[in-house]
Amino acid sequence: MELWYTEKQTANLGITCLVQETLCNFKSQFQQVAVLDTAQFGKMLVLDGMVMTTEKDEFVYHEMIAHIAMQAHPSPKNVLVIGGGDGGAIREVLKYDAVESAELVEIDEAVIEVSKKFLPEISCALSDPRVNVLVADGIAHVKQSLGKYDVILVDSTEPVGPAIGLFAEEFYADIFKALKKDGILVAQTESPFFNRDLIESSYARISRVFPLTKLYLASIPTYPSGLWSFTVGSKCYEPENCRQKPVNTKYYNFAVHRGAFCLPNFVKELVGEQGK
Ligand code: SAM
């Protein structure tokens, strides 16, 4: 008998994967945590029934949440990743020699543990001496951090449960204060097909806080609709500029960096760029 895992991405649509083995499936303090070994995408982290990351396509998301900001900043020394308990964003951040410290603030220790156990290629950098892993709420953490970070990446789940506050204007204002005077924020902001209101509201909130705000896109097969957005808020550096030497990547390169900001018309209208 075959076993298939289906994520209902909307009330009317799902992605379904043939499962070869269920490696773990339990309720943590915050969410249902599962790691499935799937025929198509390899091992897959699923939280509350939503695909978070998979062995076969994680490189796209983790490279694109990290390298745009890490390249746009001339010398990112101190980096904060909020969420991101799988460790993929941290792995990408550490590819820069300039990085002196990388902090991970993940609210659910269970995510870190299962990622270390079942997804070592993604979580491998969590043991790097430059990394400090904190099990805490990212909302509270940024409130107590002033002028500390060059780059902050918000690698959160969808705006449900403890992640709801990670999409609030107050949170973005606290991030602005936690960044140094030339800092850069990147937040994952969901799908232009299925989460239009969220993209529009997040962009508006971030642009009320940051002088430079841009949206960029990447193609991620296992995320709802396959097209994903990221919103960058920058205090002074132009997000489209690449200021570092190339790093070892599978998806990201300088042409992809600049091209990611070229938005289709149906996305331009979410950020007030229609007709430009
Ligand atoms: N790449 C995935 C995506 O785009 O949906 C998200 C990766 S990561 C698994 C998301 C993490 O955010 C989860 O592990 C979750 O526990 C964490 N998280 C949610 N709310 C949080 C909060 N307030 N503070 C810190 N971490 C939080």
Side-chain angles (χ1 to χ4, degrees):
M1 185 195 63
E2 292 185 340
L3 176 66
W4 289 74
Y5 156 71
T6 297
E7 175 190 345
K8 283 193 70 178
Q9 296 175 337
T10 74
N12 317 308
L13 176 78
I15 181 173
T16 191
C17 303
L18 178 62
V19 176
Q20 291 171 320
E21 188 181 355
T22 300
L23 299 170
C24 72
N25 184 11
F26 62 95
K27 189 103 172 98
S28 77
Q29 184 188 347
F30 295 95
Q31 51 211 333
Q32 189 70 23
V33 179
V35 178
L36 310 174
D37 193 356
T38 69
Q40 192 69 53
F41 286 103
K43 283 181 256 167
M44 175 186 279
L45 173 65
V46 177
L47 297 181
D48 277 347
M50 293 177 281
V51 176
M52 290 291 125
T53 196
T54 82
E55 281 181 314
K56 294 284 171 54
D57 75 345
E58 58 86 11
F59 65 93
V60 181
Y61 173 88
H62 290 127
E63 290 180 14
M64 288 305 282
I65 197 170
H67 295 299
I68 298 288
M70 296 302 288
Q71 287 284 345
H73 194 291
S75 180
K77 295 185 179 61
N78 307 105
V79 179
L80 169 64
V81 175
I82 293 171
D86 50 62
I90 287 281
R91 181 196 64 201
E92 294 306 311
V93 161
L94 292 187
K95 289 179 178 174
Y96 295 83
D97 297 339
V99 172
E100 294 167 1
S101 76
E103 275 190 317
L104 176 77
V105 178
E106 163 61 62
I107 202 166
D108 191 346
E109 189 166 23
V111 174
I112 299 167
E113 294 316 313
V114 301
S115 299
K116 285 181 178 174
K117 184 172 180 185
F118 297 113
L119 298 165
E121 305 80 16
I122 301 175
S123 61
C124 52
L126 291 179
S127 55
D128 187 288
R130 290 176 289 175
V131 175
N132 180 25
V133 177
L134 298 170
V135 177
D137 185 338
I139 297 166
H141 182 81
V142 292
K143 276 191 187 302
Q144 59 206 7
S145 311
L146 290 181
K148 197 174 168 188
Y149 302 105
D150 297 297
V151 169
I152 296 179
L153 307 177
V154 183
D155 179 8
S156 71
T157 40
E158 286 70 2
V160 294
I164 292 172
L166 300 179
F167 293 80
E169 186 155 346
E170 182 189 358
F171 175 65
Y172 296 134
D174 288 336
I175 283 199
F176 188 91
K177 292 175 202 153
L179 286 166
K180 296 177 186 172
K181 63 178 177 24
D182 60 350
I184 301 177
L185 154 72
V186 170
Q188 75 87 4
T189 43
E190 306 285 308
S191 161
F193 281 97
F194 299 145
N195 311 101
R196 297 176 62 76
D197 292 348
L198 180 85
I199 291 176
E200 201 164 21
S201 61
S202 301
Y203 185 88
R205 289 172 187 151
I206 293 173
S207 53
R208 282 195 289 270
V209 174
F210 285 84
L212 285 169
T213 302
K214 292 277 185 180
L215 190 81
Y216 64 93
L217 303 176
S219 304
I220 303 171
T222 53
Y223 282 1
S225 82
L227 186 63
W228 213 248
S229 76
F230 302 85
T231 306
V232 46
S234 179
K235 288 192 174 183
C236 61
Y237 301 121
E238 187 55 58
E240 282 122 312
N241 289 351
C242 314
R243 287 187 173 82
Q244 307 277 341
K245 62 183 188 306
V247 288
N248 175 30
T249 51
K250 288 170 66 176
Y251 183 90
Y252 175 91
N253 60 47
F254 292 157
V256 165
H257 182 129
R258 285 184 286 272
F261 290 92
C262 298
L263 303 178
N265 292 344
F266 85 106
V267 181
K268 277 177 180 274
E269 61 196 40
L270 298 177
V271 297
E273 288 187 11
Q274 56 273 34
K276 287 181 185 170

